[in-house]
Amino acid sequence: MSDDAAIVISVRDLVVGFGRRVILDRLSLDVLRGEVIGVVGASGSGKSVLLRTILGLIEKRQGSIAILGIDRDAADNDELREIGRRCGVLFQYGALFSSLTVVENVEFPMREHLGLPPGLRHDVAMAKIEMVGLKPDDALKYPAELSGGMTKRAALARALALDPEIVFLDEPTSGLDPISAEAFDTLIRTLRRTLGLTVYMNTHDLDTLATVCDRIAALADGRVAALGTMSDMQSCDHPWVREYFGGTRAHLAARGSEATAAT
Amino acid sequence: MTHPPQLTTTTQGLLASGAWTAAYLAVLERITGDAGARESSGRIDVAGIVALDTFGAWLLERLRRRIGPDAEFVGVPPHFQGLFDALSKVNQPAAKAGAGNPVLRLLERIGRATESAGVDLLALVAMLGALGEALLRVLLNPRRLRLTSSVHQLDRVAWQATPIILLITFLIGCIIAQQGIFHFRKFGADDYVVDLVGILILREIGVLLVAIMVAGRSGSSYTAEIGSMKMREEIDALQTMGLNPVEVLLLPRVVALVIALPLLTFVGSMAALYGGGVVAWLYGGMSPEIFIARLKEAISLDHFKVGIIKAPFMALMIGAVACVEGLKVKGSAESLGLQTTSSVVKSIFIVIVLDGLFAIFFASIGM
């Protein structure tokens, strides 16, 4: 196990700001291979900014970000493309291309990155679609014809299209009803075991944090205020973390996850 | 540390080893392509595989299915078991339906296109009915008329459209006159250019040109507006508040269009005649007094009536088509663009068909 515990994402002294406002202030965070890390924080605490900066969608002011051992600043175009191939992203609202069907959406990254024969590409895309729990009939639908939960699943199938090593999930269960959200949590757990994924997720969902995440990073004041398991969070003395994880809902979620683990 | 994938045939069956990942796809395609044929024992030993992703696993699964329903994997490493299990369930043959005879597919396409044309026609008739119903309700109780909205729409489709309509019809009048003078001069019949310009513009070109421009300018914007309201569920919101979207959104727009098009046709025709007169004067050497005198002889009130009577009907069709297409918009941005295009194409087509029908009608009643 110690061999696998290599660092796949390394964020060092990251500073990001807009105008005079500093959002992330010398933030450091390591993500280990094979773990599921959940990032929590109040609205406006910079969760999304951190995710988007790691993905290279927002410019940073200082610090360094290395993904899979490749430093974003030093990387040339080929290396950036390589990062794109080895990472999958599930955006909050799916970000499926609305002019393509579900199966075409899943095939899209394969077409761009791998020289696959069309038949094989289609077969693998269909396999991914079924692995995320959609029916084969859904593959020919357009994103506008999907429900919220199906959109998330289709977007996850696209994120997994290239068998990425790291999957970034932005609010994977937001906007889903509790049953769909739980099904999605189970799906993430299953896929992570099946495909050996490292998962980085932004979430507000205490149940997801309790049942899926190995480690939790709580952002406050532009830094990682606390890092550890659910029980570490509950015994943390940072005021925001205590409020977030000390509430009734958090205790219920933690107890629920123990009950699931026991059965 | 690379392990190219290998597939060897032994007496116990096939033996797969190495890295079965996307990086070796070309090799994998080749070695799995012909291996199934020479294998009969139905065993694939995968214990030697060091790396596996979905692509490699799918190729193995495809190979297993090709060998036969009883073929099985042996020696699956525990950490790959989940992936093998997941892939054994997917892409069952049922999903492969859909292909078929190309002739049948063509016939199916023709059938579907015919059906959708019929459905479109029905939708248009239904829209005219709904607009008529809403109009009746408003006429019975005039306080229900959305006056502000109607006037706002009238400002947009009539007043704001005037400059461009004036410019284009003026230029078309100029061009018709210039061409008339140029060709009629060969027969010494320059004077008849006045008849050409007067009759052509008042009867046909004026109203047709203006209707086509309005379809492109206002019809498309109606479709886009209504479509984006449909996309954001605003129309559903209206309905749940107990309001009739046809009465609130569509009727004011169509009424504005029905009022605007005759007005625009009138100013457009005048601009075209003016353009014809200017060209006749500067290019043909015909003084404005003579042009006006000849115009009075050449045209009668009937010519003007034939043109202007058509305008409200064309406006009604443009408005109805724009509304039908707008309400057909579904959730995606692409469908909005698609319906806007189809709104313009269909309304121009209908305007021209309508013009043809009117031509037959007026000819038979002798106007």
Side-chain angles (χ1 to χ4, degrees):
Chain A
M1 198 58 207
S2 58
D3 292 343
D4 290 338
I7 294 169
V8 288
I9 303 173
S10 158
V11 178
R12 286 277 164 273
D13 298 324
L14 184 68
V15 180
V16 180
F18 303 109
R20 243 182 260 162
R21 268 178 63 222
V22 175
I23 311 283
L24 300 177
D25 184 15
R26 295 194 303 284
L27 180 145
S28 297
L29 179 67
D30 287 331
V31 180
L32 309 179
R33 181 172 294 280
E35 75 171 343
V36 178
I37 188 163
V39 178
V40 294
S43 295
S45 63
K47 291 190 305 289
S48 298
V49 171
L50 175 59
L51 176 64
R52 295 174 74 83
T53 312
I54 293 175
L55 293 172
L57 298 171
I58 295 179
E59 290 284 316
K60 60 181 162 35
R61 288 192 183 158
Q62 283 173 40
S64 68
I65 297 171
I67 299 179
L68 296 160
I70 302 170
D71 188 335
R72 264 208 182 278
D73 297 322
D76 55 26
N77 274 339
D78 286 346
E79 282 174 323
L80 287 177
R81 204 175 151 83
E82 176 72 11
I83 293 178
R85 206 184 75 73
R86 292 164 70 182
C87 295
V89 186
L90 169 66
F91 287 95
Q92 188 172 358
Y93 301 105
L96 292 168
F97 303 124
S98 62
S99 57
L100 303 178
T101 60
V102 170
V103 66
E104 286 167 344
N105 261 290
V106 179
E107 283 183 40
F108 185 82
M110 298 185 201
R111 185 177 314 184
E112 296 300 313
H113 281 286
L114 308 170
L116 286 178
L120 178 62
R121 191 170 65 210
H122 185 261
D123 285 348
V124 175
M126 290 302 291
K128 303 269 169 169
I129 286 170
E130 288 187 55
M131 279 164 83
V132 297
L134 291 173
K135 289 194 268 315
D137 306 349
D138 299 331
L140 297 176
K141 289 184 180 160
Y142 283 91
E145 300 168 289
L146 303 177
S147 68
M150 285 159 79
T151 304
K152 297 256 179 184
R153 283 169 190 266
L156 183 62
R158 187 180 68 180
L160 296 175
L162 296 169
D163 276 54
E165 291 162 51
I166 311 172
V167 181
F168 295 91
L169 310 175
D170 194 5
E171 303 279 357
T173 53
S174 74
L176 298 185
D177 66 84
I179 300 173
S180 310
E182 198 182 324
F184 204 82
D185 286 346
T186 313
L187 175 69
I188 293 170
R189 273 206 309 270
T190 317
L191 287 175
R192 172 221 182 174
R193 210 170 38 233
T194 313
L195 301 172
L197 300 171
T198 305
V199 180
Y200 175 108
M201 68 166 100
N202 276 352
T203 186
H204 268 306
D205 190 328
L206 285 161
D207 289 312
T208 308
L209 286 170
T211 56
V212 184
C213 296
D214 301 322
R215 285 202 304 164
I216 297 167
L219 294 195
D221 317 320
R223 303 183 186 210
V224 178
L227 181 68
T229 61
M230 190 74 179
S231 51
D232 293 342
M233 289 295 127
Q234 280 166 331
S235 55
C236 175
D237 54 2
H238 187 280
W240 184 84
V241 178
R242 207 165 50 205
E243 198 177 341
Y244 192 91
F245 290 97
T248 345
R249 292 160 61 95
H251 284 297
L252 283 175
R255 212 181 309 148
S257 81
E258 280 158 24
T260 339
T263 49
Chain B
M1 200 188 74
T2 52
H3 302 277
Q6 284 183 330
L7 190 66
T8 46
T9 315
T10 65
T11 47
Q12 276 89 42
L14 292 170
L15 189 66
S17 62
W20 286 62
T21 58
Y24 296 105
L25 269 174
V27 186
L28 290 172
E29 271 285 299
R30 202 183 62 239
I31 61 178
T32 56
D34 53 348
R38 51 171 208 267
E39 169 54 38
S40 53
S41 71
R43 282 162 55 92
I44 307 173
D45 190 331
V46 293
I49 289 180
V50 294
L52 185 70
D53 62 12
T54 325
F55 299 98
W58 169 249
L59 285 167
L60 281 168
E61 174 66 21
R62 198 172 72 175
L63 179 66
R64 184 185 71 84
R65 289 186 194 177
R66 211 180 289 155
I67 294 171
D70 302 326
E72 57 173 357
F73 293 116
V74 291
V76 179
H79 49 291
F80 295 146
Q81 185 66 52
L83 196 51
F84 276 103
D85 289 348
L87 284 173
S88 68
K89 296 188 205 95
V90 303
N91 275 336
Q92 293 304 329
K96 289 278 172 202
N101 189 330
V103 179
L104 281 180
R105 258 189 318 205
L106 180 70
L107 285 175
E108 186 192 334
R109 270 225 301 279
I110 294 173
R112 283 189 195 283
T114 315
E115 193 205 345
S116 86
V119 169
D120 276 357
L121 196 65
L122 273 183
L124 186 61
V125 174
M127 177 54 69
L128 289 173
L131 287 169
E133 189 218 347
L135 183 68
L136 269 182
R137 232 176 307 143
V138 166
L139 287 180
L140 289 177
N141 184 2
R143 286 178 54 197
R144 296 181 73 144
L145 177 69
R146 311 269 152 175
L147 191 65
T148 321
S149 168
S150 305
V151 172
H152 170 69
Q153 295 297 339
L154 195 59
D155 172 57
R156 281 183 47 203
V157 300
W159 182 243
Q160 292 179 22
T162 307
I164 186 72
I165 298 265
L166 282 178
L167 178 66
I168 302 252
T169 47
F170 173 81
L171 290 176
I172 294 286
C174 293
I175 293 164
I176 292 174
Q178 188 272 335
Q179 287 292 305
I181 292 166
F182 182 76
H183 290 282
F184 285 174
R185 189 169 279 166
K186 294 176 195 158
F187 314 107
D190 314 24
D191 289 357
Y192 285 101
V193 76
V194 183
D195 300 61
L196 173 77
V197 168
I199 294 173
L200 199 58
I201 284 170
L202 289 181
R203 277 188 89 106
E204 296 293 335
I205 296 290
V207 64
L208 206 54
L209 200 66
V210 171
I212 289 172
M213 287 188 52
V214 166
R217 185 186 178 277
S218 307
S220 62
S221 87
Y222 280 3
T223 305
E225 276 170 17
I226 296 166
S228 68
M229 287 187 203
K230 178 92 190 300
M231 267 165 79
R232 291 189 300 235
E233 301 181 317
E234 291 173 42
I235 290 180
D236 299 340
L238 272 179
Q239 231 152 7
T240 55
M241 293 173 200
L243 296 170
N244 180 354
V246 176
E247 194 184 307
V248 178
L249 291 177
L250 310 188
L251 190 66
R253 289 182 160 77
V254 176
V255 164
L257 211 54
V258 170
I259 297 172
L261 196 56
L263 297 176
L264 290 174
T265 302
F266 177 74
V267 295
S269 301
M270 292 307 119
L273 289 180
Y274 191 80
V278 167
V279 168
W281 182 30
L282 299 178
Y283 179 78
M286 182 188 285
S287 76
E289 292 81 23
I290 297 175
F291 183 86
I292 291 171
R294 280 214 57 108
L295 195 62
K296 277 183 186 157
E297 286 169 32
I299 59 172
S300 67
L301 196 58
D302 273 356
H303 294 305
F304 175 70
K305 279 196 239 161
V306 164
I308 213 82
I309 283 171
K310 292 189 276 195
F313 293 95
M314 291 179 173
L316 181 63
M317 296 315 277
I318 294 170
V321 169
C323 295
V324 169
E325 296 297 320
L327 291 178
K328 271 202 248 166
V329 170
K330 297 192 191 68
S332 69
E334 198 207 12
S335 100
L336 182 62
L338 211 64
Q339 298 305 342
T340 308
T341 310
S342 120
S343 159
V344 174
V345 172
K346 281 181 190 163
S347 49
I348 290 178
F349 171 74
I350 289 181
V351 159
I352 290 172
V353 169
L354 207 60
D355 193 57
L357 294 177
F358 270 114
I360 298 170
F361 172 73
F362 286 128
S364 60
I365 64 166
M367 267 176 95

